[in-house]
Amino acid sequence: MVSPLKPKKRRGAIAAFLLAVDAWLDSSLYEIRFKAAEFWESATIFFRRFRVKGWRRGVIEVLSEGFTMGAGGAVVMLALALPAFQETGGDWRAQDDFAVMFLDRYGNEIGQRGIIQRDSVPVDQMPDHVIKAVLATEDRRFFDHYGIDFLGLMRAMTENVRANSVVQGGSSITQQLAKNLFLSNERTLERKVKEAFLSLWLEANLSKKEILQLYLDRSYMGGGTFGIEAAADFYFGKSVKDLTLAEAAMLAGLFKAPTKYAPHINLPEARARANVVLSNLVDSGFMTEGQVLQARRHPADVVDRGDRKSPDYYLDWAFEEVKRLAMKSGQHSLVAHTTYDPNIQQAAEESLEFHLRQFGKDYHASQGAIVVIETNGAVRAIVGGRDYGVSQFNRATKALRQPGSSFKVYVYATAMENGLTPDSIVSGAPVSWGSWHPGNYNGASAGTMTLTTALVKSINTVPVRLAKEKLGIPPIKAMAEAMGVESPLESHKTMVLGTSGMTVMDQATGYSVFAQNGMVGSRHGITQLVTHTGEAIYDFAKDATPPHRVLSEQALKYMNSMLVQVPVIGTARRAALPGIVSGGKTGTSQSYRDAWYVGFTGNYTAAVWLGNDDYSPTKNMTGGSLPAMIWQRLMVYAHQNIDLKPIPGIDHPFVDLETATKAEEAEKQTAQDATDKAAAERPPVLSSRTTHVLRDMNVQFRSAPPLQPATEPETLSAL
């Protein structure tokens, strides 16, 4: 039998243990608190020794705040530096060992790209006057600063303020090298911040001699040449080791604006610039006036190269294509046969410059880009900007700009593939998609209409309604990518109105599907790659992946039947070609920052973009204005003396003027009918008796004699 006292004893023991633990916790916490108070008092007494008063206290406060702000600034600087240092990933030091000579579609040499390192002359072997001429003009304090020349920057700012224009640049040679190696020529704050950090990074990782060597080997020198050795051979037919002072001064003057001062194009301008370099040598103390006098009296002459202009934007793009195609071949010294057409290239450049010179200031548009693709997929011309010497950034292949309404063709193509037709009826009334309430151009409202009318008139609410209620965003994005768009597209609902950045090459490639019978995959710039011994390592006709269909024949026919009406009765009437059927679409981005026209015939597709490098808005420039005019002038030339091909789904390549007139008249009649119908349905707001009285009053007012002039001018004057 168990004693009833045992459970009571066990409970008593547990209670005693818990009381002991509680007592230990209380005493421990008390001791910790007491020790902490004691430590704090001791610390306070100790630090009182360092307490300062009076003016010393003010100094300490300022230093304290300075350290705090410095720590915060260091964090900000680190955040800004990380994107810049990411650019240094990979084998950036090694210049591509590809050496490629490019030929146009007719077999004529058009330029070279790449450099073999043995062709690079070491700085130690260059004449002293060559180095001095470069430093005196580009960076006098090169050996004294650490990547950023603040004194030189202040001097340049002072001179620019005095001249009330930009007459001097403040960038050091290290900064210019950082831009050439890692960055583009876009004039943005982000690029300048990256340039500054990369300059410091280069100074920390390379010697001054290495930086100068890379700068002299990588800089663009005009005429399609890169590096001072290639420029010496191109302009003077000699090595840089053999340059005279006059020739060195002429080459040193090219770094600022190689296209403007290229001596084979404008020798007087090049000589004037060389004279400035000679003055810089004297002003910097590198030489005396007596030493440069002979070079002033006898300026350099150049090898006669004619007025050949290198298609540098095209060559830059084609060079990347060559490296991609030849990477696995093991061959690096190559001859590339390209699809480049010098006549179309010249027509594209001329059309862009012609219109920007006349209307660029009126529209506040300073830059443009063009890509022309023949129906067989051959890229015939690339205009990446107005002046390659000023900016080597290729706006045709690298700039991501909002396409605006020109993106709508991918929405409508998706709709055609999903069972809709050009005659499908859809509402153009206002539509809301969550918190997004897109409107039409100029705030105009639209009623019920066909998809053809919606596309031709570029109604915004219709593609939004299609995407929201019938298609969804993923199929539209997939369609654009399938048609050749390589830029990353955002999967956002606003994408249907062209808010996701695309390149001009993307647009030309995508629209060429309409001219190529719904096929994609034929775009190319290289037809053949051969070694200097004649061995072919790539042939487009044999080695390229065959094109594949992305648009069904029915969807293609529907799309082209709509797009050919845009230049006739739509938003691109300025793009209409005389007597030739063409199709296309205009595009204008938010705040008029980008203006596009992308169009095609049975022979060619061309994409035109206009805007500003700093993303500043234009003055209400739409795609149907200047871009359409540039496209029209270019395409009129491109279609001279060639066999015209019909657009797929369109019976013939010639415009039927009678049909076009009838279509326009029918459209006007439809609009009038809609107006009459709306007026007939409008409820009366006045009774018939009131209307009759108002009409009588109108007749009396019209038949009343005119008022007599006032006879008391002095009274009127007083008033």
Side-chain angles (χ1 to χ4, degrees):
M1 184 174 179
V2 180
S3 173
L5 298 176
K6 289 184 178 181
K8 293 183 179 180
K9 291 182 179 180
R10 187 180 295 113
R11 286 196 296 270
I14 293 174
F17 174 76
L18 292 177
L19 287 172
V21 170
D22 181 66
W24 178 81
L25 286 174
D26 288 343
S27 61
S28 298
L29 290 174
Y30 176 80
E31 288 293 330
I32 291 174
R33 180 174 175 274
F34 178 78
K35 293 293 185 183
E38 189 178 46
F39 172 78
W40 179 255
E41 184 177 2
S42 301
T44 302
I45 295 172
F46 176 79
F47 281 106
R48 281 176 182 171
R49 302 175 184 177
F50 303 99
R51 182 176 296 177
V52 293
K53 299 180 180 180
W55 63 271
R56 294 183 181 86
R57 181 180 179 87
V59 173
I60 295 299
E61 290 292 338
V62 171
L63 291 176
S64 176
E65 292 298 324
F67 282 125
T68 302
M69 296 177 65
V75 173
V76 173
M77 294 289 282
L78 179 61
L80 294 173
L82 288 177
F85 294 151
Q86 290 174 357
E87 303 285 347
T88 62
D91 190 12
W92 61 269
R93 181 192 288 263
Q95 181 156 339
D96 299 299
D97 56 352
F98 283 94
V100 185
M101 179 174 67
F102 291 90
L103 309 178
D104 65 16
R105 64 180 300 190
Y106 305 111
N108 302 314
E109 182 180 348
I110 55 175
Q112 299 185 14
R113 283 293 184 272
I115 182 173
I116 300 176
Q117 293 301 321
R118 65 174 180 269
D119 292 338
S120 173
V121 176
V123 171
D124 295 338
Q125 298 180 20
M126 295 183 187
D128 186 58
H129 55 260
V130 171
I131 303 300
K132 287 181 176 179
V134 174
L135 294 181
T137 305
E138 295 300 313
D139 192 352
R140 298 178 186 180
R141 302 184 64 257
F142 173 68
F143 289 100
D144 299 325
H145 62 70
Y146 199 75
I148 302 175
D149 184 9
F150 293 102
L151 293 179
L153 183 61
M154 293 298 295
R155 183 186 66 250
M157 292 176 61
T158 302
E159 293 298 325
N160 292 338
V161 170
R162 287 179 180 176
N164 198 26
S165 64
V166 180
V167 296
Q168 287 190 14
S171 295
S172 67
I173 282 179
T174 311
Q175 287 176 278
Q176 295 179 55
L177 178 63
K179 181 179 66 176
N180 292 340
L181 288 177
F182 305 112
L183 306 172
S184 70
N185 282 67
E186 287 186 298
R187 296 182 179 181
T188 61
L189 179 61
E190 179 184 4
R191 199 267 291 170
K192 293 298 293 183
V193 170
K194 286 184 177 181
E195 181 183 292
F197 280 114
L198 289 171
S199 299
L200 299 176
W201 187 87
L202 285 172
E203 291 280 351
N205 287 273
L206 300 177
S207 66
K208 287 288 187 179
K209 178 181 173 181
E210 289 175 312
I211 292 174
L212 184 58
Q213 183 76 61
L214 285 171
Y215 178 72
L216 294 175
D217 283 346
R218 304 293 178 92
S219 297
Y220 179 66
M221 304 291 285
T225 62
F226 284 82
I228 198 168
E229 171 68 5
D233 178 68
F234 180 78
Y235 294 120
F236 307 115
K238 59 175 70 173
S239 171
V240 68
K241 301 176 184 179
D242 304 318
L243 292 177
T244 65
L245 176 58
E247 293 166 343
M250 189 170 285
L251 288 187
L254 292 175
F255 289 94
K256 178 180 180 180
T259 300
K260 179 180 180 181
Y261 299 122
H264 71 301
I265 295 178
N266 193 338
L267 185 58
E269 189 79 21
R271 285 176 171 173
R273 175 63 178 167
N275 197 50
V276 173
V277 174
L278 295 174
S279 297
N280 291 337
L281 281 167
V282 177
D283 295 340
S284 62
F286 292 165
M287 286 187 175
T288 65
E289 183 61 40
Q291 290 175 304
V292 304
L293 184 59
Q294 185 69 10
R296 290 191 194 274
R297 290 180 174 179
H298 302 282
D301 289 314
V302 298
V303 176
D304 185 12
R305 299 287 184 181
D307 58 353
R308 177 175 73 88
K309 186 177 180 181
S310 178
D312 294 305
Y313 289 116
Y314 190 101
L315 292 178
D316 286 348
W317 174 76
F319 189 40
E320 296 300 320
E321 292 291 294
V322 169
K323 290 188 288 185
R324 179 178 61 84
L325 296 172
M327 187 62 68
K328 298 180 180 180
S329 68
Q331 298 289 341
H332 286 187
S333 184
L334 301 166
V335 177
H337 296 262
T338 73
T339 59
Y340 172 77
D341 189 311
N343 299 317
I344 295 179
Q345 178 75 27
Q346 183 178 358
E349 293 174 353
E350 188 276 338
S351 183
L352 177 66
E353 190 63 25
F354 175 82
H355 287 91
L356 283 180
R357 280 182 180 271
Q358 288 198 72
F359 308 107
K361 289 185 178 180
D362 295 337
Y363 282 106
H364 184 62
S366 60
Q367 274 296 350
I370 302 173
V371 171
V372 182
I373 301 179
E374 195 170 340
T375 302
N376 59 9
V379 179
R380 297 301 186 196
I382 296 177
V383 181
R386 298 180 69 179
D387 191 335
Y388 186 85
V390 174
S391 171
Q392 290 89 56
F393 179 65
N394 196 331
R395 296 157 188 82
T397 61
K398 295 183 178 180
L400 296 177
R401 307 296 299 222
Q402 291 186 347
S405 291
S406 62
F407 186 85
K408 293 175 183 176
V409 297
Y410 306 108
V411 180
Y412 284 90
T414 307
M416 298 301 108
E417 288 288 359
N418 281 270
L420 278 73
T421 72
D423 296 325
S424 296
I425 303 299
V426 65
S427 172
V431 60
S432 295
W433 196 343
S435 59
W436 184 40
H437 310 286
N440 295 317
Y441 182 68
N442 287 336
S445 60
T448 301
M449 65 188 72
T450 65
L451 289 183
T452 298
T453 301
L455 178 60
V456 170
K457 296 302 181 183
S458 198
I459 304 300
N460 288 339
T461 54
V462 170
V464 174
R465 192 178 302 278
L466 290 175
K468 176 185 179 184
E469 300 177 358
K470 298 180 181 297
L471 305 175
I473 296 299
I476 297 172
K477 179 182 178 183
M479 174 61 74
E481 293 171 344
M483 291 176 67
V485 175
E486 298 176 354
S487 301
L489 297 175
E490 299 176 359
S491 298
H492 193 267
K493 54 194 174 187
T494 59
M495 179 188 71
V496 299
L497 295 185
T499 59
S500 190
M502 298 170 65
T503 66
V504 181
M505 181 65 78
D506 281 338
Q507 289 283 67
T509 304
Y511 275 68
S512 68
V513 172
F514 302 123
Q516 296 181 41
N517 201 29
M519 308 295 285
V520 71
S522 64
R523 189 197 77 191
H524 63 288
I526 307 298
T527 57
Q528 196 176 47
L529 284 177
V530 299
T531 64
H532 287 278
T533 60
E535 177 189 359
I537 65 169
Y538 173 80
D539 191 322
F540 176 79
K542 299 178 181 178
D543 302 325
T545 303
H548 61 277
R549 179 170 293 281
V550 66
L551 280 181
S552 66
E553 293 184 6
Q554 187 63 66
L556 175 73
K557 183 176 181 179
Y558 284 158
M559 287 300 300
N560 285 347
S561 69
M562 294 189 291
L563 291 172
V564 295
Q565 297 185 51
V566 176
V568 180
I569 59 174
T571 57
R573 301 190 189 194
R574 294 180 182 180
L577 300 176
I580 302 175
V581 174
S582 68
K585 186 70 186 73
T586 57
T588 309
S589 71
Q590 301 177 66
S591 301
Y592 298 97
R593 288 186 174 87
D594 307 276
W596 298 74
Y597 182 68
V598 193
F600 58 93
T601 66
N603 298 81
Y604 294 102
T605 300
V608 178
W609 165 83
L610 292 181
N612 296 301
D613 284 342
D614 60 2
Y615 293 90
S616 61
T618 64
K619 291 182 180 178
N620 300 332
M621 182 173 64
T622 64
S625 58
L626 219 52
M629 295 161 63
I630 293 172
W631 187 93
Q632 197 264 1
R633 184 181 179 91
L634 161 64
M635 295 298 259
V636 165
Y637 174 86
H639 287 79
Q640 292 179 357
N641 304 318
I642 64 173
D643 294 330
L644 297 179
K645 301 176 182 178
I647 293 175
I650 308 300
D651 294 335
H652 50 76
F654 301 101
V655 172
D656 185 346
L657 296 180
E658 182 179 354
T659 302
T661 302
K662 289 181 178 179
E664 188 168 2
E665 291 177 352
E667 182 202 11
K668 291 181 179 179
Q669 185 61 45
T670 301
Q672 184 62 44
D673 292 343
T675 302
D676 295 342
K677 181 179 179 182
E681 295 176 351
R682 189 181 301 120
V685 294
L686 296 176
S687 66
S688 59
R689 178 176 176 79
T690 303
T691 304
H692 182 72
V693 171
L694 290 175
R695 286 177 178 173
D696 289 343
M697 291 174 63
N698 182 50
V699 172
Q700 292 178 16
F701 278 125
R702 289 181 178 275
S703 59
L707 294 175
Q708 297 298 320
T711 58
E712 298 180 1
E714 65 277 7
T715 305
L716 294 176
S717 299
L719 293 176

